[in-house]
């Protein structure tokens, strides 16, 4: 499915709406360049999953794994700094599968075939993003 | 009395021995910057694997430099969180095992609180109340302290940390890793007024930070001006970007100072080594007539001396009680959900 959002708020609300139908064991891959809106989308998912304080949803680029307690645990990860499947595998992230909702920024770094909801971001201009979601 | 501190929350393996008068007998930091440099960032399990490989050496070295043996250590202190769980667990498990074997107390400490404590290692008499601005790759926070060991988190980043913003722009321009120190150096002679950045403001009078807007603005400027690392305007761009981050930090610190009327200000964390930030911080405190403290570089970066120092402070003011050995690491920032944590 393809969407166009014209602000951070619209991106946030799109993600929030989609997450409302989640069952609690989804894996969501966020794919797009720097500044495309991945962290905002992750905030929206967290809000849709009932996280009260969405301000605690921050970029995990440095910390690598952020964990939030919403309706289910949310494992918010970032492969930005990782190189190659071996290093990603070493992160032990597969332990989180079926424990809650997994959100992965820079998921394209992983070559392995994983069944996931893939969200691609394209920057059209400063505020507008084309967001393609494949379930 | 001797205390051994261990820190493994991110990419530094560190061990330190302190005496009970807070003198630092050793502070060994094995930085993984060199290991990480080819990857352009912190590689986590490389990091935690490396902690496993290096912790015995680092602890041994800290004891050797302090000229004490493990048998002489009276208290073990360790970072419990926040941080990367796999990395934290290496230090925590190691400290637990020592505590169990030698039957000596184990004191867990919070990584962010330890960063604030680092300012006290070199200055015993910092006046309260105080504000601490903590800036690193993974964190950007302001804490208010009414008194010792009483931490109130009053502002934090809602998206990227300041150090992360430096790191990402540096990587985007292919400047190398770690991005912060490289930008600090390159931006030194740049014209910080050449490129305009709007300083992010919270609409809800909160003291929280946001750096993702600055990052996006920086990317737009890079694209519009076709900037590369060899472009003649690159140093001006870096100076302008650095200035924008510094102004954002100082703006919130100013807001916080107006509200909380502190006697002292502390700047700590890895990004506290940034020269433009240090200068702006010292200028601000001078204008306001508030005392200012910045730890030396070896205590700004992740280190175990601050861990041991905070544990000592806890022992000094509270009953010495070891924690149960089933304690676990915590990955998130404590206090959770805006609760004030008081000893």
């Amino acid at each position: 499915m393809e969407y166009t959002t014209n602000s951070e708020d619209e991106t946030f609300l799109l993600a929030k709406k989609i997450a409302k139908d989640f069952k609690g064991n989804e894996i969501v891959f966020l794919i797009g360049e720097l500044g495309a809106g991945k962290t905002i989308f992750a905030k929206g998912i967290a809000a849709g999953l009932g996280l009260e304080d969405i301000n605690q949803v921050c970029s995990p680029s440095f910390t690598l794994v952020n964990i939030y307690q919403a309706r289910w645990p949310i494992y918010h990860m970032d492969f930005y700094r990782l190189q190659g499947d071996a290093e990603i595998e070493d992160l032990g992230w597969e332990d989180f599968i079926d424990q809650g909702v997994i959100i992965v920024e820079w998921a394209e770094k992983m070559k392995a075939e994983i069944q996931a909801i893939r969200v691609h971001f394209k920057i059209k201009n400063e505020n507008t993003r084309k967001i393609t979601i494949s379930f | 009395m001797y205390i051994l501190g261990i820190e493994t929350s991110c990419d530094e393996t560190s061990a330190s021995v302190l005496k009970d008068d807070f003198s630092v007998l050793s502070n060994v930091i094995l930085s993984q910057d060199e290991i990480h440099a080819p990857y352009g960032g912190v590689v986590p399990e490389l990091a935690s694997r490396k902690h496993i490989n290096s912790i015995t050496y680092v602890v041994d070295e800290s004891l050797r430099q302090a000229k004490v043996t493990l048998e002489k250590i009276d208290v073990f202190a360790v970072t419990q969180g926040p941080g990367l769980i796999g990395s934290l667990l290496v230090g925590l498990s190691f400290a637990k095992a020592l505590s169990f074997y030698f039957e000596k107390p184990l004191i867990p400490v919070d990584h962010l609180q330890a960063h604030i404590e680092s300012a006290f290692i070199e200055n015993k008499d910092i006046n309260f109340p105080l504000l601490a601005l903590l800036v690193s790759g993974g964190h950007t926070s302001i804490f208010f302290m009414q008194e010792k060991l009483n931490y109130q988190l009053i502002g934090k980043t809602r998206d990227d940390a300041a150090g992360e913003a430096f790191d990402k722009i540096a990587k985007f321009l292919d400047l190398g890793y770690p991005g912060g120190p490289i930008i600090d150096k390159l931006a030194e002679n740049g014209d910080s007024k050449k490129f305009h950045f709007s300083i992010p403001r919270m609409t809800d009078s909160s003291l929280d930070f946001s750096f993702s807007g600055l990052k996006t603005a920086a990317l737009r400027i890079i694209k519009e001006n076709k900037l590369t690392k060899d472009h003649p305007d690159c140093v001006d761009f870096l100076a302008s970007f650095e200035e924008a981050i510094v102004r954002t930090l100082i703006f919130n610190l100013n807001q916080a100072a107006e509200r909380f009327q502190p006697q002292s200000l502390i700047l700590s964390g890895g990004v506290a080594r940034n020269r433009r930030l240090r200068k702006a911080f010292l200028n601000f405190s001078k204008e306001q007539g508030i005392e200012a403290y910045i730890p030396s570089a070896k205590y700004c970066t992740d280190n175990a001396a601050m861990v041991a120092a905070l544990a000592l402070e806890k022992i000094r003011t509270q009953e010495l009680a070891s924690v149960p050995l089933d304690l676990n690491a915590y990955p998130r920032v404590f206090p959770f959900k805006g609760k004030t944590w008081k000893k």
Side-chain angles (χ1 to χ4, degrees):
Chain A
M1 265 179 291
E2 218 172 275
Y3 304 87
T4 302
T5 61
N6 293 303
S7 65
E8 279 198 352
D9 283 350
E10 284 186 30
T11 303
F12 174 86
L13 289 172
L14 171 66
K16 186 174 172 182
K17 190 167 154 258
I18 286 161
K20 288 214 164 124
D21 297 327
F22 279 12
K23 306 276 182 288
N25 59 355
E26 283 76 4
I27 301 175
V28 186
F29 283 0
L30 306 180
I31 300 152
E33 61 185 296
L34 214 54
K38 297 182 292 298
T39 303
I40 278 290
F41 199 91
K43 272 182 192 276
I45 292 176
L49 296 177
L51 185 73
E52 270 177 54
D53 176 17
I54 58 146
N55 288 334
Q56 59 177 294
V57 180
C58 292
S59 164
S61 291
F62 207 86
T63 50
L64 295 151
V65 185
N66 292 344
I67 305 171
Y68 323 111
Q69 187 57 52
R71 196 168 305 133
W72 302 286
I74 302 172
Y75 301 95
H76 182 194
M77 289 182 275
D78 193 327
F79 293 166
Y80 178 69
R81 296 160 191 273
L82 306 187
Q83 296 274 324
D85 278 7
E87 284 172 11
I88 290 168
E89 209 173 287
D90 282 347
L91 185 59
W93 74 279
E94 285 168 326
D95 293 350
F96 300 139
I97 292 175
D98 286 332
Q99 304 298 308
V101 173
I102 297 174
I103 307 170
V104 186
E105 301 194 28
W106 296 95
E108 64 270 37
K109 296 248 176 178
M110 183 160 59
K111 300 284 175 287
E113 291 281 321
I114 303 280
Q115 183 71 31
I117 300 168
R118 281 159 211 274
V119 185
H120 287 263
F121 299 79
K122 272 260 178 299
I123 300 180
K124 302 308 271 184
N125 62 43
E126 190 162 2
N127 298 313
T128 305
R129 303 287 184 270
K130 197 178 98 185
I131 299 173
T132 313
I133 306 177
S134 47
F135 289 91
Chain B
M1 190 182 90
Y2 296 103
I3 182 160
L4 173 72
I6 294 174
E7 153 73 36
T8 61
S9 68
C10 192
D11 64 332
E12 265 84 27
T13 317
S14 180
S16 168
V17 179
L18 260 66
K19 257 176 92 169
D20 51 358
D21 62 359
F22 288 85
S23 53
V24 179
L25 303 184
S26 66
N27 184 32
V28 178
I29 306 167
L30 192 69
S31 170
Q32 298 183 25
D33 280 359
E34 295 79 21
I35 302 160
H36 291 148
Y39 302 96
V42 179
V43 183
E45 285 304 309
L46 199 59
S48 47
R49 271 209 308 273
K50 191 65 193 165
H51 286 307
I52 288 173
N53 291 344
S54 53
I55 192 160
T56 311
Y57 164 77
V58 169
V59 169
D60 273 350
E61 185 60 20
S62 75
L63 293 165
R64 196 187 62 78
Q65 288 184 15
K67 298 188 175 64
V68 295
T69 56
L70 264 180
E71 292 75 14
K72 292 252 175 67
I73 301 293
D74 301 284
V75 177
F76 296 99
V78 67
T79 306
Q80 189 185 5
L84 185 59
I85 199 87
S87 295
L88 285 166
L89 284 173
V90 174
L92 193 64
S93 307
F94 200 86
K96 275 185 193 180
L98 290 174
S99 162
F100 179 72
Y101 182 81
F102 290 101
E103 298 180 332
K104 295 285 169 58
L106 174 66
I107 311 287
V109 306
D110 180 277
H111 179 71
L112 304 185
Q113 293 171 2
H115 265 301
I116 299 171
E117 188 67 29
S118 66
F120 289 87
I121 295 174
E122 294 159 306
N123 300 282
K124 289 287 156 293
D125 304 313
I126 301 178
N127 288 316
F128 289 87
L130 66 79
L131 285 174
L133 174 61
L134 171 53
V135 196
S136 68
H139 303 280
T140 308
S141 323
I142 304 181
F143 285 87
F144 174 67
M145 294 181 73
Q146 185 66 52
E147 59 189 344
K148 266 266 161 186
L149 299 179
N150 182 350
Y151 304 89
Q152 192 184 344
L153 178 63
I154 59 169
K156 60 176 174 43
T157 183
R158 291 185 181 178
D159 38 56
D160 299 358
E164 174 185 342
F166 281 132
D167 207 45
K168 283 192 165 164
I169 292 304
K171 189 173 176 186
F172 194 81
L173 287 170
D174 205 15
L175 301 178
Y177 181 86
I182 292 171
I183 290 180
D184 184 352
K185 200 154 171 256
L186 291 174
E188 190 174 7
N189 299 314
D191 174 8
S192 65
K193 293 187 176 66
K194 175 98 176 213
F195 294 95
H196 175 75
F197 286 90
S198 310
I199 302 303
R201 299 271 186 272
M202 288 295 149
T203 49
D204 54 3
S205 78
S206 146
L207 292 166
D208 282 352
F209 297 95
S210 169
F211 291 101
S212 75
L214 280 181
K215 179 185 71 187
T216 310
L219 290 170
R220 181 176 48 77
I221 291 171
I222 290 171
K223 283 175 191 164
E224 279 174 10
N225 295 277
K226 300 193 169 53
L227 295 177
T228 60
K229 64 176 171 181
D230 303 316
H231 194 287
D233 290 343
C234 187
V235 290
D236 296 336
F237 164 77
L238 293 174
S240 305
F241 179 62
E242 191 180 51
E243 179 70 22
I245 289 182
V246 168
R247 272 171 48 213
T248 306
L249 292 166
I250 300 297
F251 179 85
N252 279 28
L253 186 63
N254 184 24
Q255 301 278 99
E258 279 174 15
R259 277 188 228 174
F260 288 88
Q261 300 291 319
Q263 297 270 325
S264 320
L265 300 172
I266 290 174
L267 174 67
S268 66
V271 183
R273 290 171 298 175
N274 179 280
R275 286 172 298 170
R276 195 180 297 269
L277 176 58
R278 292 173 87 95
K279 202 172 151 198
F281 174 79
L282 293 173
N283 280 346
F284 169 75
S285 55
K286 208 169 156 190
E287 278 165 27
Q288 302 287 318
I290 310 173
E291 296 163 34
Y293 301 90
I294 310 175
S296 4
K298 64 186 175 207
Y299 301 130
C300 278
T301 188
D302 288 353
N303 70 89
M306 67 185 193
V307 173
L310 179 53
L312 258 179
E313 192 57 47
K314 287 185 169 188
I315 293 166
R316 215 167 61 150
T317 47
Q318 298 164 15
E319 287 281 301
L320 175 58
S322 184
V323 297
L325 288 175
D326 63 354
L327 97 150
N328 206 347
Y330 57 85
R332 282 190 289 161
V333 176
F334 203 87
F336 312 131
K337 282 180 72 177
K339 256 182 256 162
T340 304
W341 185 74
K342 194 178 170 185
K343 32 191 177 173

